[in-house]
Amino acid sequence: MVRKAKKSDIGQIIDLLHQVNMVHAELRPDLFKPHTTKYDEQELETMLGDDQKPIFVYDDGTVRGYAFCQISEVSDDKLLQDIKTLYIDDICVDEAARGRHVGKALFDFVSDFARSIGCRNITLNVWEGNHAASMFYKKMGMKVQKTTMEVIL
């Protein structure tokens, strides 16, 4: 089942953060340091209290996946339309639980949550070369909104 994360989940979330970091470190060692995490326990505890940055977990007795989200709104902007967006900052399925529809359950839950709070869309970033993630997101109905490009000097 998918639910909002709580303090007792932090240790398991840290383990999953290590898995995600290693995917990124192997894909882009020029950018990502191996064997670390994006957030530490204190940062996670603070985030759990921030309604603008909800964290959801898939829990079957063990946390098998998570989705870190951020809610943003544009209002009365000179250029942009008024819009409320849910950005998936990070999503992970435990390596041991892949193929068991954990990612789909998380994505569906986040989609329902976003609709329930009036979001127009869901956005996320995926690293070039992470083909499994790209294929999953496309299967969930996502399409490219914009592309970030680089030249390495």
Side-chain angles (χ1 to χ4, degrees):
M1 89 172 194
V2 180
R3 60 171 172 76
K4 200 159 186 188
K6 53 190 178 186
K7 188 176 177 180
S8 60
D9 299 324
I10 289 176
Q12 293 176 86
I13 291 170
I14 292 282
D15 291 342
L16 295 173
L17 282 165
H18 276 286
Q19 288 183 29
V20 165
N21 183 66
M22 288 309 296
V23 168
H24 293 140
E26 289 170 10
L27 189 64
R28 289 297 303 261
D30 58 321
L31 297 176
F32 292 94
K33 298 175 183 178
H35 312 294
T36 188
T37 59
K38 185 174 186 173
Y39 306 111
D40 63 26
E41 291 179 13
Q42 287 180 327
E43 290 168 319
L44 287 173
E45 192 170 340
T46 299
M47 290 169 71
L48 289 174
D50 186 345
D51 289 339
Q52 295 302 303
K53 294 182 178 182
I55 302 169
F56 302 104
V57 295
Y58 182 100
D59 179 2
D60 66 0
T62 300
V63 172
R64 302 289 183 189
Y66 65 66
F68 284 74
C69 303
Q70 294 178 11
I71 301 162
S72 65
E73 278 189 82
V74 172
S75 180
D76 297 322
D77 186 85
K78 183 178 180 178
L79 177 66
L80 301 174
Q81 298 285 350
D82 291 356
I83 187 171
K84 187 173 188 177
T85 298
L86 186 135
Y87 172 70
I88 299 176
D89 178 49
D90 205 6
I91 190 167
C92 175
V93 173
D94 186 350
E95 294 166 341
R98 297 210 177 124
R100 299 191 330 209
H101 307 289
V102 171
K104 181 176 179 354
L106 281 164
F107 194 89
D108 288 348
F109 186 92
V110 167
S111 296
D112 290 344
F113 173 78
R115 270 188 215 87
S116 77
I117 62 169
C119 290
R120 179 186 174 276
N121 62 349
I122 296 172
T123 62
L124 57 78
N125 294 320
V126 60
W127 285 96
E128 185 66 25
N130 192 345
H131 302 296
S134 289
M135 287 178 18
F136 170 75
Y137 299 134
K138 287 176 184 172
K139 191 174 179 183
M140 295 297 102
M142 298 194 87
K143 61 183 180 177
V144 175
Q145 180 189 51
K146 62 183 175 181
T147 303
T148 300
M149 301 179 80
E150 73 176 336
V151 61
I152 298 174
L153 304 175

